[in-house]
Each structure stands twice: as structure tokens, then as C-alpha cells.
Amino acid sequence: MRIYYAEQQALHAPRDEFFRGQRVPCFENPSRAEYVRAALHAHGFALHAPEADSTPLLAQVHAPRYLDFLRTAWDQWLARSPANVDVQPFPSVWPVRTLRSDVEPADFIARLGLYSMDNGSPLAAGTWAAAKAGADAAASAAQVLLDGERAAFCATRPPGHHAGPDFMGGYCFVNNAAVAAQALRAGGAARVAVLDVDYHHGNGTQAIFYERADVLFVSLHGDPRTEYPFYLGHAGETGAGEGAGFNLNLPLPAGSSAAQWFDALEAACARVAQHRPDALVVSLGLDTYAGDPISRFQLQQDDFTRLGGRLARLGLPTAFILEGGYAAAELGENAVRVIQGFNDEE
């Protein structure tokens, strides 16, 4: 399995975020990837820098004006006032319902609200560089699968599955899983499946592929009636237009046991197999771990070995894209267990 790690991930290092109305230190921080890197190194895995440039692919999954905003957001923030170098920007107004989103405001904070689904995705000076490097890793993973590699793993951050066609959210700025899926399609894969096993529904990935039949999206996650992102991820969302029937959501109650979770995984794997994809992209959220501070499933560390083995039995070229997982000290070991379970099953 080829493993990608981007040193640029450390450049995205905001100090704090809003969580349940309080300003707190960021759960999504550079230590997450560092724990994964250290665990991979300790287990003897070689790490590679991304080789591919994801720029053409980004324009195929995200709106041009959103990408333009991301690339220049920090410079725009400093142009507002040089003193902002030590200040994190947060949106304070959003274009909900009857408000217009087609006209881009001149005010920076208003633009930030236009392109944000929440106020929990703080920007920093290096956000774009880190996000772009993660997308480059996803594109690189797709390319090695197209070249004949059995599997690839992207040990990158920030995560991506909440980022939609023209918005950021849930710590996500660029949708790395969508980039990998699009790269596989562009490289000749007739059908691709994206399987999202993060605790939180991958609303951004669903939105990007909702009207497409060439990319199947399957997600098992916390019930959005009580769990973030709240406004997407219900079982009745099955795709639209050409994509009708190519979106499967398997929401589970908060507190679900490992047994319940693996039952849902079986249903997810059955749908993936039915799609007969040429390749699989896994949005690998590890916040299903029982010790995660912001999630509420009950998987233990051995369960991640079992997860890796089950995915290997699908028999597909597989790209793993790291998503959530906020018990940072355990994140590396949990990631390694998925890889070991996958490799041992081959």
C-alpha cells in the first residue's frame, strides 16, 4: 500500500474554533496528522510526498469562484487590516433561504459567510496550502491505483468530506474524496464508489455526486436529526436525475454499538459490490472510536482491523482518504490498524 503524507498539513494551524457556542482550542489540528505519521513510521511504513497536481481536478468538483476565494482568502483578510495577521476570521452572516447567494458581496466577512456552511471551520495563513496538498495526495493516490497499485492511503489533513461544490464546513475546505473519485473517472475508471465511514455524514461528497450515476456514494453515520451536519444524511436521500438510486445513506442512532455499526457496514458493502465499480474511495473517518471527544459510536481499536479486512474483501483497488478522528493520541494506531487489516486480508 502506497502511503502519502504532506508536510504542508502543518501550515493549517488555527488556534481555536466555536464548539457548542464556546470558543475552544481546535479539535482539528496538526497533531492529528503527526500522530498518524509517527504511528506509520513506528510500524515501518514508508511515507511519500504527493506527486500529482490536483489543480485541473479541483475545477471539476468545486465552483471556480469558491476556489478563487480559498486561494486568496488569507490575503483578502490581511488587506482588510494588517493587524488581522493575529486574528482568526469567522463568518457572522449566511445567505439562508430567501437571501441571495448569486451575488458575491464586497465585504470579506460576508464573502466568508457565503462560502461557509458553519462557523466551525477556521481559516489560517496556511489553510490553502494545506488543503491543496491534501488534494494533491488524493490525486496521487488515484493515479497509483490507475497504474496498478492495489491500495493507497492519504494521511493528510484538513479533512474534506463536508466541503461541497461551493462551500467549506466541518473543518473541510477541499473535498479530497471527490478529487480522488474524479481523478479515477478521468483516468478511465467507468464506475467509482465512495464509501464514507466517518461518524458525520459526508454532505459535501453527496452534494457533488448527487446527480451522477458514475460515482456511487454510500455513507454510514450518526443520525442527522441529532448529529452534525444535521441538514443532510437522511435515508430518503437516494440521488436525483441521472443519479437517482446512486446515493445510499445509512444513519445510525448516537451511541450505536460496534455490532450495529458492522451490520450497517455489511449493507454498505453489498451496495458497493452491486455497483461493480472499477475502484473504491474510502472516506476514512476514525471518529467512530469510542474515545472520540465529539462523536458517539462505540468502536474499539480492534474493530478498525476488522474494518480494514472487510474492505479488502471487496477486492477493489482502494484509496483511503483520512477524514475525521479527534482522539488524536489514538488516531495513529487506529489508522495503522485499518491498513494492517486491509493488508492481512490480501
Side-chain angles (χ1 to χ4, degrees), residues 59-335:
Q60 296 173 42
V61 298
H62 292 295
R65 73 173 190 173
Y66 171 61
L67 292 172
D68 288 343
F69 175 78
L70 277 184
R71 291 188 191 102
T72 62
W74 192 256
D75 290 339
Q76 292 181 48
W77 180 232
L78 296 185
R80 186 181 174 112
S81 169
N84 283 344
V85 68
D86 295 317
V87 179
Q88 279 183 218
F90 288 97
S92 58
V93 62
W94 292 265
V96 299
R97 277 160 309 267
T98 59
L99 302 182
R100 293 180 63 177
S101 60
D102 58 315
V103 179
E104 188 178 60
D107 181 81
F108 174 80
I109 293 299
R111 286 197 300 277
L112 185 57
L114 175 65
Y115 297 119
S116 299
M117 64 173 279
D118 58 24
N119 69 346
S121 304
L123 288 168
T127 297
W128 170 250
K132 173 61 163 56
D136 290 347
S140 301
Q143 187 58 55
V144 297
L145 297 190
L146 292 166
D147 291 341
E149 190 79 28
R150 173 72 167 88
F153 186 97
C154 295
T156 51
R157 61 167 287 280
H161 71 150
H162 294 305
D166 59 355
F167 61 84
M168 66 186 79
Y171 310 137
C172 304
F173 301 90
V174 169
N175 196 308
N176 300 320
V179 168
Q182 188 65 31
L184 289 162
R185 284 287 293 116
R191 290 180 302 276
V192 176
V194 179
L195 174 59
D196 194 320
V197 297
D198 193 279
Y199 180 79
H200 306 95
H201 177 252
N203 61 286
T205 315
Q206 174 172 309
I208 289 168
F209 296 117
Y210 201 64
E211 297 186 9
R212 289 173 56 171
D214 57 332
V215 179
L216 170 73
F217 178 66
V218 180
S219 177
L220 50 155
H221 51 268
D223 190 331
R225 292 176 299 176
T226 62
E227 309 305 307
Y228 185 93
F230 303 114
Y231 307 113
L232 214 62
H234 299 280
E237 299 156 10
T238 58
E242 292 183 2
F246 291 90
N247 195 92
L248 175 63
N249 287 325
L250 299 164
L252 295 167
S256 289
S257 67
Q260 292 171 298
W261 192 87
F262 276 100
D263 284 345
L265 180 65
E266 283 304 311
C269 289
R271 181 65 185 93
V272 169
Q274 183 186 45
H275 186 60
R276 294 183 293 116
D278 297 307
L280 173 67
V281 177
V282 179
S283 273
L284 185 66
L286 298 170
D287 46 2
T288 50
Y289 176 57
D292 195 273
I294 62 173
S295 306
R296 297 190 286 171
F297 283 164
Q298 299 302 314
L299 273 65
Q300 304 297 323
Q301 290 197 316
D302 287 347
D303 292 317
F304 294 109
T305 308
R306 180 181 172 187
L307 168 61
R310 180 63 188 92
L311 297 179
R313 290 197 296 277
L314 286 168
L316 297 167
T318 302
F320 291 93
I321 311 295
L322 186 65
E323 301 284 5
Y326 306 101
E330 292 84 4
L331 183 61
E333 181 62 26
N334 291 342

